[in-house]
Amino acid sequence: MNIPFKPGKSPSLKRAILAGGLIFAAWFLLEIGAYSGFEVMGETDKTLQDFVESNYFWFNIGYQIYILAVFVAIGGISGLLGGLYARKFGGGWIATLGAPILIFVSAQFKTLLHQPQFYDGPFLDGKPWLREIVFSPTAYIEPAWADWALYTLIAGLALAPAVSITQWVTFSKKRAAATVSAVAVFLLWEIAGAIPAQTPHSQKRNVVLIVLDSLRADHLTSNGYKRDTTPEIDDLAREGALFTKNIVDLPRTFPSWVSMMTGVYPMSHGVRHMFPTAEQRRLVHPPLPKILAQDGWQTAVVSDFAGDIFPRIDFGFQTVDTPDLTFDEVVKMRNLEIHPAALAFFNNPLGHTLFPSIRELSYNCDPAALTDKAIKTLRSFRGEKPFFLAIFYSATHMPYAAPGPYYRQYADPAYRGNYRFQKKNLLMKNDNDTPADVQQVIDLFDGGLRATDEQIGRLRETLAAMGYGEDTAIIVTGDHGENFFEYRAEIGHGNHLRGPHAITVPVVIHAPWLKNKGVKVDYQTRMIDLAPTMAELAGYDKFHAEGKSVLPFISGAETGHRLTYTESGLWYVDEGPFFFQNSRIHYPGITQLCEVDPDWRNEVALKKRYQPLVVMAKHRAVSDGAHKLIVMPTENGVVTELYDLGNDPEEQHDISKENPEALRKMMGKLNEVARPENSTKEYQGYLFDRRDYSW
């Protein structure tokens, strides 16, 4: 068989491998030259830079060598494929060098269309003409076409070794029989894994908790949103119940998950921010997964980048398939993200095994890949025992890096601003964003929501195919909501408590055995109510918490708002143009607030000397459904705001001075919640935590 160009002299395979490796190595060195310094959440300072340089210098050198070795090995394999092709079909050095170049370009093209965020870094900032050239394919080409091009190329190059291996196998009857046997065993193994695992009907049932990071309640189509963002979630709601006003007690991921799993407020479980010490994490109220595991349930959690909290706290999950977060991992991430060309080859199951830190990259959140992991976990469960599976999706979390084609599903094709593929500058020290920028951020969020929603449908289909459909409760919610520049403030969550958007999440409950269907509950419920609700759905009746099940709302046995409490999180920067930076007690930014704990896996923790100040400085809010009170400690005294939710649901008009009687009543309700068992003392309106174990 001949190829259509003159074969020429084929190089040795050693030279082919060397040539491929050198091509990849040359690009690696170009990326090293574009390195722009060390950052944490977009923030950097000299102290942080000096710490990394003095403590991680050789670590960085070693890790870069490791990345280079794997990258060069991939280049060598590409060169080998080219060399084998040239030997079998001709083409000489053209085929030999062309193979690694074509594989390199095709892999970059595939990643560019699926996850352009990998390339959307400092090198292209300030170069609009170059950005337009690099990203122009994303506006016109479907990601599936790039997949086809890459896989066709690899299949074509693999033809030569495949032909040789086939000839080697068929030459011997013994080798042929062994090959057929191996293929048969593999197929039987795959078929066995897909066999439906019937769950016995008993009082113990399965629970699947699906959490979308930063999920806004008002972006569900079933809750009145203008876009068709959530057809699968809406279908679950039609067959179950939708709670539209579930109030989060602390709108940041770590403390919210602790409240979600324990059913108690942050004052009781002790996790008050994203960087608790090891001591604070050991003193958590017994969480639901641990209790269920002790009573016979199989428990597991899977997540992409936002799930790095799970290795840092023992919720009782027997299987934890999530990223991890230590400062070592932060350094590894920074080492990796300066090599987007290498990430194009590493962002796959094998690459995640070699470089687990890839899963921690905030712009690397593909709901389809996470669903693959969830399905794999489902298939690992034994059918005779019930299970509790938590799945935590991050595509709706800042920087809203929806994969292709979802990053353009709702976006304006003409938009060419800085947020074309993701919201950059995470900590937002300026408010120069235009209306087009704001809309683009919302469009990206909606794209990530739609991408995740489709995977929820896929999960539901898998559960049904495995025989779990009738005995499994599915709960869909968010760990907190999100602000999109409302209230003269920034984007994100946890910095302030004005408005409903960052502290309100929807809860969809789908359980086939519940009689009432299509129920919509507009009364206030609480994040601490979720664990008791899931315990009841699972058939476990011994779970005790400050929250209580919301199932009585579905049956109609309960009506009316529940009293809700919320507190703000840690402020990551100590200055800015937004109102809460002036309505607060100041403390340093994140790079000064936190330290690396060398005695506990080099995890990042809030310095102990700042712990009391950070908690005392929190904004706090309480709502009874009719009124919402916000209390903001400042350096000049305590500031209060009161809103009439019936007439002013968007909280635009402060009535604290107009209605002193309502203010007095709401202050009393706040003190009821915020001072459990005298664990807090008050001085001139400021609340001080009195428990030694927290600090």
Side-chain angles (χ1 to χ4, degrees), residues 475-496:
I475 297 95
V476 181
T477 188
D479 58 339
H480 49 72
E482 193 79 332
N483 288 309
F484 291 137
F485 298 99
E486 293 96 348
Y487 311 101
R488 301 180 301 281
E490 34 64 285
I491 197 168
H493 48 267
N495 286 328
H496 70 87

Side-chain angles (χ1 to χ4, degrees), residues 638-659:
V638 176
V639 176
T640 59
E641 295 178 352
L642 183 68
Y643 298 97
D644 179 349
L645 298 180
N647 297 313
D648 181 22
E650 290 294 314
E651 302 171 28
Q652 299 292 325
H653 180 57
D654 174 20
I655 62 167
S656 58
K657 293 183 173 60
E658 301 171 20
N659 198 333

Side-chain angles (χ1 to χ4, degrees), residues 311-492:
R312 298 157 60 197
I313 191 166
D314 182 14
F315 282 134
F317 289 112
Q318 296 155 331
T319 300
V320 177
D321 188 357
T322 72
D324 197 1
L325 181 62
T326 65
F327 198 76
D328 291 2
E329 293 299 311
V330 172
V331 174
K332 289 177 182 178
M333 281 191 290
R334 188 57 181 144
N335 274 279
L336 281 163
E337 64 184 351
I338 64 176
H339 296 294
L343 289 173
F345 292 93
F346 297 167
N347 194 29
N348 51 62
L350 177 59
H352 292 180
T353 301
L354 297 173
F355 301 97
S357 304
I358 293 174
R359 297 177 63 188
E360 179 66 11
L361 295 171
S362 63
Y363 45 79
N364 184 27
C365 42
D366 182 354
L370 179 57
T371 304
D372 290 341
K373 291 181 179 292
I375 292 173
K376 181 180 178 182
T377 303
L378 277 171
R379 289 176 176 166
S380 72
F381 290 144
R382 290 177 293 171
E384 70 276 7
K385 297 179 67 177
F387 61 79
F388 178 90
L389 172 63
I391 309 164
F392 188 27
Y393 288 99
S394 306
T396 46
H397 187 285
M398 194 161 48
Y400 321 114
Y406 301 98
Y407 56 75
R408 69 186 188 192
Q409 180 158 356
Y410 301 109
D412 180 356
Y415 178 81
R416 290 296 183 271
N418 205 34
Y419 304 153
R420 187 172 175 183
F421 306 109
Q422 61 180 321
K423 169 65 178 77
K424 297 196 286 186
N425 306 320
L426 296 184
L427 296 184
M428 306 145 298
K429 283 190 174 178
N430 64 76
D431 65 342
N432 297 323
D433 297 300
T434 67
D437 291 327
V438 175
Q439 186 58 52
Q440 176 66 12
V441 167
I442 296 171
D443 296 342
L444 290 173
F445 176 91
D446 287 345
L449 178 54
R450 182 59 185 261
T452 307
D453 180 82
E454 290 187 7
Q455 295 306 311
I456 291 173
R458 183 175 157 219
L459 273 168
R460 193 178 177 190
E461 291 173 0
T462 301
L463 286 165
M466 297 182 70
Y468 291 134
E470 294 303 311
D471 287 294
T472 300
I474 301 174
I475 297 95
V476 181
T477 188
D479 58 339
H480 49 72
E482 193 79 332
N483 288 309
F484 291 137
F485 298 99
E486 293 96 348
Y487 311 101
R488 301 180 301 281
E490 34 64 285
I491 197 168

